[in-house]
Amino acid sequence: MRERINFDRAWDFYRGDINLSLPREKWIVYREAKTERALRGPASRGYDTSGEGWRRVDLPHDYVIEEEVSRDGNEGLGFYPYRNAWYVKKFRLSHSDADKRLTLFFEGVATHATVYLNGCLLKHNFCGYTEFEVDITDVADLEGENTLSVYVSTEQHEGWWYEGGGIYRHVWLIKTDLISVDLYGAYADARKISDGIWRVGCEITLRNDGYNRERARVVCDILDRDGATVSTGDCGGYIDPQSKRVLKLPLEVTSPTLWSPDAPALYTLRTRVLVAGREADEYSVSFGFREVVVDARRGLFINGRHYKIKGLCGHADCGLMGKAVPD
């Protein structure tokens, strides 16, 4: 079954770049050319983070807000100096994780991020405003300690406001069965088909990270805010190894409580994945029932009621917390 483990605690942090001089001896570049792993520097597995300049931090973390403002700094970016940085986290897994898919989910890193595990380069992310997933299954060590390294670059900017720097949102370790619902793999499309009758098009993307063709059955339940089931159905099919498959299932709901800005009633689409009679995964997503009409002359209508569109320019910073806005 799916596990979601918070990875916010106990990161070792270093502000600035760590320059690695290249020795004259051939054997250094020879060894690094014969492996996919970094053997030197903070990206490497055995790097010592107890030295000068390293300190322990918890996430979410913004290190730019700790800098001294300067008249030489850019006014749009808050007059702060922007430097690069390293984050390193040690963690252990167990033998029970041998037949699982293991991923790391980053909710946000400002601004560009490079992710290594045990010295292996696994991911570049080039946007400080998007979450991203890193599959660590093939390089994770189930016997010993794992080293997760994240290099943060703030040299390029995406906005003309204070952008901060660092792993400024939560990080999660996610463990799933080899047959599982993909990231963002459950979608509910609620449409009114007649008075009081709504059809919910359920679209489920399954992934098979194993090496055998498997048959999976998907059970979809729509739950109200009290957890009561208001509609249910199932479908299934075969999934080829190392591939994905989309399954579609129409459900109907009678007289649901409608969502509106004044009363944002939400329902839950709960998806259970069954393989060979066992429950391999469960994945839930929230959605609402509402009709939206935009008229060029009359404006916006939700469930037949007229609404004025209101907005604000809300940049993602919060006083002395900087970009690391608390939940």
Side-chain angles (χ1 to χ4, degrees):
M1 287 294 292
R2 180 179 295 261
E3 293 182 74
R4 184 178 170 93
I5 301 167
N6 185 270
F7 248 36
D8 286 352
R9 299 294 302 276
W11 290 75
D12 292 325
F13 169 75
Y14 184 93
R15 178 165 38 213
D17 284 306
I18 297 177
N19 296 319
L20 299 175
S21 59
L22 188 64
R24 295 183 65 251
E25 295 83 1
K26 171 186 173 180
W27 69 270
I28 293 290
V29 292
Y30 179 84
R31 287 185 62 197
E32 290 187 324
K34 296 295 183 180
T35 177
E36 74 280 9
R37 302 174 188 271
L39 301 178
R40 300 175 300 137
S44 64
R45 191 169 190 175
Y47 188 79
D48 183 10
T49 57
S50 64
E52 183 179 356
W54 287 89
R55 61 186 173 94
R56 183 61 57 89
V57 299
D58 294 332
L59 307 181
H61 181 240
D62 176 4
Y63 61 87
V64 171
I65 199 68
E66 301 171 355
E67 299 277 6
E68 294 289 335
V69 296
S70 169
R71 292 181 181 273
D72 297 327
N74 181 273
E75 60 181 352
L77 298 171
F79 295 100
Y80 286 93
Y82 283 72
R83 291 194 281 171
N84 304 328
W86 283 93
Y87 291 84
V88 175
K89 181 178 177 64
K90 309 283 188 178
F91 66 98
R92 288 184 177 271
L93 299 166
S94 68
H95 291 289
S96 62
D97 298 321
D99 294 323
K100 296 179 181 179
R101 180 174 184 251
L102 307 173
T103 62
L104 294 166
F105 185 71
F106 291 80
E107 293 188 7
V109 181
T111 308
H112 293 175
T114 303
V115 180
Y116 304 83
L117 185 73
N118 298 331
C120 298
L121 172 60
L122 296 182
K123 182 75 173 181
H124 290 296
N125 190 67
F126 295 115
C127 180
Y129 299 91
T130 56
E131 54 197 18
F132 60 94
E133 179 184 65
V134 183
D135 192 325
I136 65 171
T137 308
D138 292 339
V139 298
D141 188 344
L142 305 184
E143 299 282 349
E145 189 175 59
N146 290 275
T147 300
L148 171 62
S149 305
V150 181
Y151 177 64
V152 177
S153 171
T154 61
E155 294 172 352
Q156 297 184 20
H157 300 283
E158 299 176 77
W160 54 91
W161 49 81
Y162 174 80
E163 288 206 291
I167 309 177
Y168 70 94
R169 291 179 182 163
H170 302 299
V171 177
W172 305 88
L173 170 65
I174 301 176
K175 305 177 182 182
T176 66
D177 193 277
L178 295 180
I179 306 293
S180 64
V181 179
D182 196 18
L183 181 66
Y184 317 119
Y187 174 63
D189 181 20
R191 296 176 182 267
K192 185 177 180 180
I193 58 175
S194 64
D195 288 342
I197 305 297
W198 290 69
R199 177 169 293 154
V200 181
C202 304
E203 184 174 294
I204 310 300
T205 302
L206 296 183
R207 60 182 301 136
N208 179 1
D209 287 275
Y211 293 97
N212 298 308
R213 190 169 185 253
E214 300 281 0
R215 180 173 176 82
R217 177 168 162 258
V218 168
V219 179
C220 290
D221 302 310
I222 296 178
L223 312 176
D224 65 16
R225 62 182 178 183
D226 298 320
T229 301
V230 297
S231 186
T232 187
D234 67 277
C235 62
Y238 284 98
I239 312 175
D240 290 330
Q242 299 292 307
S243 64
K244 300 180 184 182
R245 179 172 179 179
V246 177
L247 298 176
K248 297 183 179 181
L249 176 66
L251 298 179
E252 286 192 359
V253 176
T254 302
S255 302
T257 302
L258 300 185
W259 180 96
S260 71
D262 307 299
L266 291 176
Y267 286 72
T268 299
L269 172 62
R270 181 183 65 191
T271 301
R272 289 173 291 159
V273 182
L274 306 177
V275 179
R278 67 179 178 87
E279 188 168 328
D281 195 15
E282 182 177 311
Y283 189 99
S284 295
V285 64
S286 298
F287 71 100
F289 292 88
R290 74 282 183 274
E291 281 189 304
V292 178
V293 175
V294 179
D295 184 273
R297 287 178 171 271
R298 303 170 61 208
L300 172 69
F301 292 81
I302 302 176
N303 302 327
R305 178 181 172 185
H306 182 253
Y307 284 87
K308 292 287 188 182
I309 298 177
K310 300 177 182 178
L312 56 88
C313 187
H315 296 148
D317 57 80
C318 182
L320 296 179
M321 301 301 291
K323 193 101 168 174
V325 179
D327 288 343

